[in-house]
Amino acid sequence: PPSAVWTALTQATSSCSCRTLQSWFPVLSWLPHYNLRWLQMDLVAGLTVGLTTVPQALAYAEVAGLPVQYGLYSAFMGCFIYCVFGTSKDVTLGPTAIMSLLCASYMGSDPVYAVLLSFLCGSIQAAMAILRLGFLLDFISYPVIKGFTCAAAITIGFGQVKNIFGLKNIPQQFVLQVYYTFHRIPEARLGDVVLGLSCLALLVSLTWMKTDLVSPSPEHPTYVKVAHGLVWGCATIRNVLVVIMASCVAFSFEISNHHYFTLTGQTAKGLPPFKPPAFSETKANGTIIYFKEIVLDLGGGLAVIPLMGLLESIAISKAFGSQNGYRIDTNQELFAIGLTNIMGSFVSAYPVTGSFGRTAVNSQTGVCTPAGGVVTGVIVLLSLAFLMPVFYYIPKASLAAVIICAVAPMADWRAPLQLWRVRKLDLLPFMVTFLVSFWEVQYGIVGGVLVSGAMLLYHMARPHIEVHDHGVLVMDLDSGLNFPATEHLNQVIYSQALHVSPPRCVVLNCHHISSVDCTVVHELKDLLKQFRLRNVSLVFSGLKNSVLEVLLAGDLPGLKYTDSIETALQILSGNTHFD
């Protein structure tokens, strides 16, 4: 009946509308099912991650070359945006070591550049999501990623040695940084060295303690379980504990008028104003730098930073999605990161992405939904609102220790060994990326991608062709036939079949060919003419229907094709005929 049809159509439309809304606003897929147990777990996870985020955000702002409050400005917007638009329950967005290092390479410690960079990167990332351009990330290979992360870990870690020693005015370029750090060791401040090394030792001890901690069995007494929980909790929030203890030590010396430590110093108080990013900058001498000049100064950063931010976050979300049994929507993740950076620029944030360390903490503490990020964001906001005067007394050596311990696991020394075992040639893009990154990080990434791309193109242009002699030559292509490979195919056929005496027939096994283009059709047409001039045959075997349609449309003279190699051999031996 018409009424039943109308009801079915209404229900189908409603269902499609609901699915569309959920795809754009993933919060709608879990919010209706939210319960008290999820709330409890999200509160615990959000609080734990928040206590980890605050000291790390302060430290990563140092890596970016910005005042420490900019780390906190960048740490809260992603918590709220991702709760609504993100598809992973575990991922936390905020400042990271790698993004801070990349940003420092382009914005020159200028907050105006940093905030505008966040807006532009976010716009690029959101546009990529809307245009479904996430596939571009696939061109950054595993060896390039590993080479970059290993080099970044060393660059960031060594860059903090100057703060452990209390040295100032050390160049940013890595080679010069190494030279001047060792050259000026005699100028090291004893207080900073002792405090920095003590913080490092404590952080390493707590990290090992958490790694080796054995969960108590149900038979253990209650006090053992409580003690285990306390130790695990202290080890989890080790960064904030170390920073608090170091600040207390520094404060006690400062009030007694003993200035033994290099402190963070004066920071801006309160929450950042909500305003659009500045599209120009007026220098102290009155010089105005306009938007076009800023964009030219940022240069390649407008390509490198958005791509690396997306790559880092999506790799993390995929890893934890696989570990915890759920799938993510890549393009929705791109949109969430892009929107975070756009909105972050309105609160003076610099570009952010997913943090592996904080995401791991979030997952381990049992977060159930992205709502845990809201708790983390509130903690950061409370820190900005009430604790900024306290941050004056945070020693830079303690923040340096936090950074060094955070980036140390990124230096994966097993990666080159794994590449050597799997495919030795993959060490080439790894080494190019790794070594060039010590000169300039962005050039390391670009160099690695170019080498990987050249290797990929070479494989496409020079596919392996196996030649078997059955009285008739049978040639097997081990991959597809793209236009760069036609010249190589011609060389093999001419050398093996046409430039010998007498010329020989050839069966070309096309089983692996899934598509051909106009260049391939043109080259095959010329090849068939050469075979006809020499009174021998070129037979195509195992053509897919889509490829056959293109070849027929190309009007190839004397085109011969069969379903199998055996049939082609029988035809060429004269035992049967073409249909």
Side-chain angles (χ1 to χ4, degrees):
S3 59
V5 173
W6 175 253
T7 302
L9 286 173
T10 304
Q11 290 175 347
T13 303
S14 175
S15 176
C16 290
S17 301
C18 184
R19 283 197 299 271
T20 303
L21 275 176
Q22 286 181 355
S23 68
W24 281 101
F25 302 95
V27 64
L28 298 177
S29 63
W30 55 264
L31 190 59
H33 312 290
Y34 205 74
N35 55 53
L36 183 60
R37 189 184 71 82
W38 286 5
L39 176 61
Q40 292 170 340
M41 298 300 291
D42 288 345
L43 283 172
V44 172
L47 178 63
T48 306
V49 174
L51 294 176
T52 304
T53 299
V54 171
Q56 281 195 344
L58 297 172
Y60 290 150
E62 287 275 342
V63 175
L66 297 170
V68 293
Q69 65 266 23
Y70 280 87
L72 294 179
Y73 294 166
S74 308
F76 66 85
M77 185 60 75
C79 300
F80 302 110
I81 297 289
Y82 195 82
C83 178
V84 177
F85 295 97
T87 59
S88 168
K89 71 180 183 66
D90 300 298
V91 167
T92 61
L93 299 183
T96 67
I98 288 178
M99 286 300 286
S100 299
L101 177 65
L102 285 172
C103 291
S105 303
Y106 289 100
M107 61 197 188
S109 303
D110 188 331
V112 173
Y113 275 55
V115 175
L116 184 57
L117 181 61
S118 178
F119 177 81
L120 295 175
C121 286
S123 301
I124 292 168
Q125 290 165 334
M128 288 177 65
I130 293 170
L131 297 174
R132 304 280 172 174
L133 297 179
F135 71 90
L136 293 176
L137 301 176
D138 298 337
F139 289 95
I140 303 178
S141 64
Y142 176 82
V144 174
I145 296 168
K146 278 298 179 183
F148 168 67
T149 53
C150 287
I154 296 171
T155 303
I156 295 167
F158 192 86
Q160 296 305 309
V161 172
K162 64 179 184 291
N163 290 326
I164 296 287
F165 289 153
L167 302 175
K168 296 181 179 178
N169 301 319
I170 300 293
Q172 290 294 319
Q173 208 281 331
F174 181 75
V175 176
L176 296 176
Q177 194 175 80
V178 172
Y179 173 78
Y180 281 103
T181 298
F182 285 110
H183 180 69
R184 295 175 57 184
I185 281 180
E187 303 173 22
R189 294 166 57 102
L190 181 61
D192 285 325
V193 173
V194 172
L195 184 64
L197 294 179
S198 300
C199 290
L200 271 175
L202 184 55
L203 285 168
V204 171
S205 300
L206 289 171
T207 302
W208 283 348
M209 188 183 300
K210 183 179 179 182
T211 303
D212 299 334
L213 202 61
V214 179
S215 300
S217 63
E219 292 77 21
H220 279 98
T222 303
Y223 71 87
V224 173
K225 298 176 182 177
V226 172
H228 173 274
L230 288 174
V231 172
W232 186 88
C234 290
T236 301
I237 60 170
R238 57 190 176 274
N239 291 333
V240 73
L241 290 179
V242 165
V243 171
I244 287 173
M245 290 193 306
S247 301
C248 291
V249 171
F251 177 75
S252 64
F253 279 98
E254 285 292 316
I255 60 174
S256 61
N257 207 30
H258 292 92
H259 308 295
Y260 294 136
F261 309 108
T262 304
L263 304 180
T264 298
Q266 195 67 41
T267 57
K269 298 179 181 178
L271 300 174
F274 188 86
K275 61 180 182 180
F279 288 86
S280 63
E281 181 181 12
T282 304
K283 293 290 187 179
N285 61 4
T287 304
I288 299 176
I289 303 177
Y290 293 101
F291 175 71
K292 182 180 178 180
E293 297 173 67
I294 295 177
V295 170
L296 291 175
D297 288 341
L298 294 174
L302 295 177
V304 173
I305 293 175
L307 286 176
M308 290 306 299
L310 296 175
L311 184 69
E312 188 176 358
S313 187
I314 288 173
I316 291 167
S317 56
K318 283 185 176 180
F320 282 89
S322 174
Q323 177 181 308
N324 296 324
Y326 60 85
R327 292 185 61 82
I328 65 155
D329 182 339
T330 302
N331 280 294
Q332 184 64 25
E333 290 291 302
L334 301 189
F335 182 76
I337 299 166
L339 187 59
T340 293
N341 281 321
I342 292 172
M343 297 306 298
S345 68
F346 283 75
V347 290
S348 303
Y350 68 90
V352 301
T353 186
S355 163
F356 186 86
R358 296 194 294 274
T359 298
V361 171
N362 208 23
S363 178
Q364 290 166 6
T365 46
V367 71
C368 293
T369 70
V374 175
V375 181
T376 299
V378 169
I379 290 174
V380 175
L381 288 173
L382 290 174
S383 300
L384 279 167
F386 302 109
L387 298 180
M388 292 306 287
V390 178
F391 294 157
Y392 177 94
Y393 296 99
I394 296 178
K396 288 192 174 183
S398 65
L399 294 179
V402 168
I403 293 171
I404 291 171
C405 287
V407 301
M410 289 164 47
D412 185 2
W413 304 113
R414 295 168 297 181
L417 297 176
Q418 181 187 8
L419 295 174
W420 177 264
R421 287 195 301 267
V422 175
R423 186 171 180 247
K424 295 177 178 59
L425 197 58
D426 281 338
L427 279 173
L428 182 58
F430 172 87
M431 293 306 298
V432 168
T433 307
F434 180 76
L435 295 175
V436 177
S437 291
F438 290 121
W439 173 40
E440 289 287 349
V441 173
Q442 61 272 25
Y443 296 153
I445 298 168
V446 172
V449 170
L450 289 177
V451 171
S452 291
M455 290 167 56
L456 178 64
L457 291 174
Y458 182 83
H459 181 70
M460 292 172 59
R462 295 294 182 269
H464 178 65
I465 301 175
E466 289 188 10
V467 181
H468 305 279
D469 193 340
H470 298 278
V472 171
L473 293 180
V474 177
M475 296 186 179
D476 290 324
L477 283 162
D478 68 351
S479 60
L481 184 59
N482 299 290
F483 70 87
T486 54
E487 181 62 28
H488 177 59
L489 178 63
N490 280 348
Q491 289 176 358
V492 173
I493 290 178
Y494 272 95
S495 63
Q496 299 280 342
L498 296 180
H499 284 171
V500 297
S501 182
R504 306 186 64 180
C505 294
V506 173
V507 177
L508 190 61
N509 185 2
C510 304
H511 177 73
H512 294 291
I513 299 176
S514 57
S515 64
V516 292
D517 55 32
C518 185
T519 305
V520 173
V521 172
H522 177 75
E523 292 294 332
L524 291 177
K525 183 183 292 188
D526 288 344
L527 201 57
L528 284 169
K529 289 179 182 177
Q530 295 301 320
F531 271 88
R532 290 180 66 190
L533 289 173
R534 290 166 173 80
N535 293 317
V536 286
S537 298
L538 172 62
V539 181
F540 298 87
S541 171
L543 286 170
K544 292 181 171 61
N545 289 335
S546 57
V547 176
L548 179 58
E549 289 174 4
V550 175
L551 295 181
L552 291 173
D555 194 25
L556 271 65
L559 175 64
K560 300 174 182 178
Y561 54 91
T562 64
D563 293 333
S564 66
I565 295 174
E566 291 76 14
T567 305
L569 292 174
Q570 289 177 4
I571 292 171
L572 293 174
S573 63
N575 295 332
T576 184
H577 301 279
F578 287 101
D579 292 335

